[in-house]
Amino acid sequence: MDRRSPTDVALALRTATLPGGAKVPILGQGTYRMGEDADKRRSEVSSLRAGLELGMTLIDTAEMYADGGAERVVGAAIAGRRDEVFLVTKLYPQNATRERMRAACERSLKRLGTDRIDLYLLHWRGQVPLRETLCGFEDLIEEQKIRYAGVSNFDVDDLGELARLKDGLRRIVTDQVLYNLERRGAEFDLVPWCRQRRRPLIAYSPLEEGLLSHQAHPVLGEIAGRHDATAAQIALAWVLRDGDVIAIPKAARVAHVCENRGAADIRLTKRDLDALDESFPPPSDRKPLETR
Ligand code: NAP
């Protein structure tokens, strides 16, 4: 019998399943540009906490953001409620050697005010051989400093190279990439590649840095009208449409966080999806993965 209370049911977000079985909400929260301005800190912390209340418990950050400042904001937001959160952070490629990764991880843990990271991502591919980075991840998993490992901004070729290494994909549970209505290149091969291997993708900049929130876009506006929603909600609902892509919009205003949460409950119809395909055409051939 389903024993969830009505409140829980109202709050329940769809989840994606990582290799190994962990379930994570398909809608999380980004933190790029947080921690840059002390005057904004209070609203950034409040926004992240509001998101947690609404079930958006996957929080994405990076050692790069505001030079550690975003991790500190996240640390403040999750203080006292660490166990509710699925915490994702990223290391610089130059820190992807075994020794440097351990030190980078310790610094991130300190700024985040926790003893473990749930998902640790290589932010983009650099000069360090992938084999060495995998060893670094393995060490940290054994030491229980991180639970899962993954990559970001890896194109299909990079993932293929990883997969050809012995146990190369064993610890890699996701790839975090630029993916939204304006940037659909990943659909050509990266999305199917990950889907086949049951690795949920994490879509960053799902609102194209806010550009997709403009109600004035005729098709987004029209679909939004049909769903009594906003353009931003339709753009997010589109990223979430198949249930195995995780979106991490960044919102430093509580109103935006609430609006984004609402997107996860919108189911786009075939008519909506066809109209979006007309306006934002899917890729017809392979292109290198776009990044920012
Ligand atoms: P985004 O989430 O597409 O857009 C963020 C912008 O949209 C902010 O200006 C935000 O404003 C605005 N916004 C949020 N919700 C809105 C709503 N409902 N209506 C109108 N505007 C809204 O862009 P992003 O920050 O580039 O990407 C999201 C996260 O992905 C980042 O924060 C970061 O965690 C991650 N990321 C990863 C990589 C990588 O290389 N792995 C690269 C880029 C980003 P307010 O802040 O004022 O609410």
Side-chain angles (χ1 to χ4, degrees), residues 46-169:
S46 308
S47 300
L48 289 172
R49 287 202 180 136
L52 294 182
E53 296 298 331
L54 294 168
M56 296 155 71
T57 53
L58 184 152
I59 298 183
D60 177 82
T61 188
E63 64 171 336
M64 184 183 92
Y65 301 164
D67 203 14
E71 288 184 328
R72 286 192 198 91
V73 169
V74 173
I78 66 173
R81 49 198 309 180
R82 171 68 186 92
D83 291 348
E84 294 169 43
V85 180
F86 189 88
L87 193 50
V88 185
T89 192
K90 316 184 201 75
L91 65 142
Y92 275 119
Q94 62 268 32
N95 287 338
T97 66
R98 259 175 123 160
E99 286 318 308
R100 290 180 67 95
M101 189 191 293
R102 176 175 282 115
C105 182
E106 288 298 342
R107 291 194 296 270
S108 285
L109 288 170
K110 200 163 169 204
R111 288 189 289 258
L112 291 161
T114 183
D115 60 354
R116 67 194 185 285
I117 290 161
D118 294 299
L119 175 58
Y120 202 30
L121 304 178
L122 173 61
H123 208 148
W124 63 92
R125 194 170 174 184
Q127 304 301 317
V128 178
L130 294 175
R131 164 57 57 204
E132 165 132 21
T133 302
L134 290 178
C135 290
F137 282 142
E138 196 67 47
D139 291 345
L140 294 176
I141 289 170
E142 269 174 31
E143 292 162 23
Q144 299 186 4
K145 304 275 188 198
I146 69 171
R147 287 175 62 205
Y148 297 96
V151 293
S152 178
N153 296 303
F154 268 43
D155 207 343
V156 157
D157 301 349
D158 303 304
L159 288 172
E161 207 177 313
L162 199 54
R164 284 191 295 278
L165 296 175
K166 184 168 180 293
D167 292 332
L169 271 192

Side-chain angles (χ1 to χ4, degrees), residues 29-34 47 60-62 64-65 90 121 123-124 152-153 176-178 180 203-211 213-214 230 232-233 236 248-257 259-260 291-292:
Q29 307 187 72
T31 62
Y32 182 48
R33 308 215 71 112
M34 289 192 184
S47 300
D60 177 82
T61 188
M64 184 183 92
Y65 301 164
K90 316 184 201 75
L121 304 178
H123 208 148
W124 63 92
S152 178
N153 296 303
Q176 182 179 120
V177 297
L178 178 59
N180 62 47
Y204 74 69
S205 303
L207 294 171
E208 185 61 5
E209 297 183 320
L211 288 178
S213 67
H214 296 308
T230 64
Q233 287 179 318
L236 287 176
I248 48 167
K250 174 263 182 180
R253 298 177 216 196
V254 172
H256 282 166
V257 173
E259 190 178 321
N260 294 346
T291 61
R292 59 166 48 116

